[in-house]
Amino acid sequence: MILIVDSGATKADWIALDEKGDEVFMTQTLGLSPEVLTREVIEDRLANNFELSKNRDKVKRLYFYGAGCGTDRMKKFLKNIFKSFFKNAKAEVKEDTYAAIYSTTKVGHQGIVCILGTGSNCSYYDGHQLFQKVISLGYIPMDDGSGNFFGRKLIRDYYFHKMPQALGHKFAGEYNLDADVIKENLYKQPNPNTYLATFARFLIENKDHPYCKAVIDKGLQQFVNNYIMQFELATKVPIHFVGSIAYFLREELKAVLERNDLVPGVIRQRPIDGLVEFHKQTI
């Protein structure tokens, strides 16, 4: 059995294939980002999934693509966990950028591939190799244009009284904005980046409001400036995206790209489907 996994900070999609490439099962866990989670939390998330626990000894190969897996230390950390849980499996761990590439770009084709979900990232793919100009330092100083970036912006504007009053009342009616609740989630609970990203739903649902429209436009432009424009070929190759923010704000995203003379490419909410097709070719 082969397990293919696309893990963002919020959730992880798992698809199991047999040796013929046919799907055995599909399941989902919470995200397994090694940068923000302990070994115990990750092990619990694996053990508490019925399909994974039931089939753990049948897995021969595991292809894991995850947020927070950009360094050798984090890859080794996860491999050790997988080796303990999937005892018969050979595990391969890569950062989630590779999932984005394999699900949007054909081998041999150039493109810039971006992630805009709970977090954000951007890479250039020359058709064979991945190149990055920006090393991510995580959600606090970076992640421009992401769900947690927009969530942080909304909370700050609400508390600094920069959000229009009527919209602020609506925002407060949909979320618990008590200071103690926010601080509990940010500083004492796991996945603070995921918590921040939950507020981005409000921005998407109210994206036609002038305030929200301006926040979205500025955030996406900031991502273009700081990430995409780092690459000299930015205006000459298609710009592909994966992630919920890119997908649900795809019209706004396309407008920002075209304003910067960039060519919109594939915009996919979940890379897992493209990943399965990619791996079926190697079975």
Side-chain angles (χ1 to χ4, degrees), residues 117 144-155 157-158 163-164 167 170-171 174-175 196-220 244-246 248-250 252:
D144 294 1
S146 69
N148 76 70
F149 170 89
F150 285 126
R152 184 168 61 245
K153 169 67 174 172
L154 291 178
I155 291 174
D157 281 5
Y158 177 82
M163 187 179 289
L167 191 67
K170 186 177 181 180
F171 187 48
E174 295 189 19
Y175 295 92
L196 285 171
T198 62
F199 294 96
R201 174 180 58 81
F202 183 84
L203 195 69
I204 293 169
E205 291 176 350
N206 296 278
K207 64 180 185 177
D208 292 329
H209 188 285
Y211 163 84
C212 294
K213 190 175 294 185
V215 168
I216 291 167
D217 187 78
K218 186 175 180 180
L220 295 178
S244 56
I245 295 297
F248 290 113
L249 296 178
R250 56 191 178 277
E252 292 77 10

Side-chain angles (χ1 to χ4, degrees), residues 40-146:
E40 290 71 26
V41 170
I42 293 174
E43 288 176 337
D44 283 345
R45 292 184 178 183
L46 294 174
N48 289 330
N49 183 279
F50 174 75
E51 292 287 359
L52 298 181
S53 293
K54 183 178 73 171
N55 294 284
R56 60 196 294 180
D57 293 333
K58 299 177 184 177
V59 180
K60 303 301 182 185
R61 282 177 287 167
L62 170 64
Y63 298 99
F64 184 91
Y65 302 88
C69 298
T71 66
D72 290 338
R73 185 170 66 89
M74 292 294 97
K75 291 174 187 175
K76 184 177 180 181
F77 172 70
L78 274 182
K79 278 187 177 182
N80 286 335
I81 295 174
F82 294 146
K83 184 178 180 180
S84 176
F85 190 82
F86 302 104
K87 297 184 183 299
N88 299 316
K90 181 179 180 181
E92 184 176 314
V93 177
K94 291 186 176 182
E95 61 182 305
D96 52 355
T97 302
Y98 281 95
I101 288 171
Y102 295 155
S103 68
T104 61
T105 312
K106 294 181 180 178
V107 174
H109 290 241
Q110 295 180 333
I112 291 175
V113 183
C114 309
I115 296 171
L116 277 182
T118 297
S120 65
N121 209 335
C122 179
S123 305
Y124 169 69
Y125 183 61
D126 69 354
H128 303 281
Q129 287 183 288
L130 165 72
F131 299 91
Q132 287 186 319
K133 285 287 188 75
V134 179
I135 297 174
S136 176
L137 297 176
Y139 76 98
I140 295 176
M142 292 188 167
D143 276 4
D144 294 1
S146 69

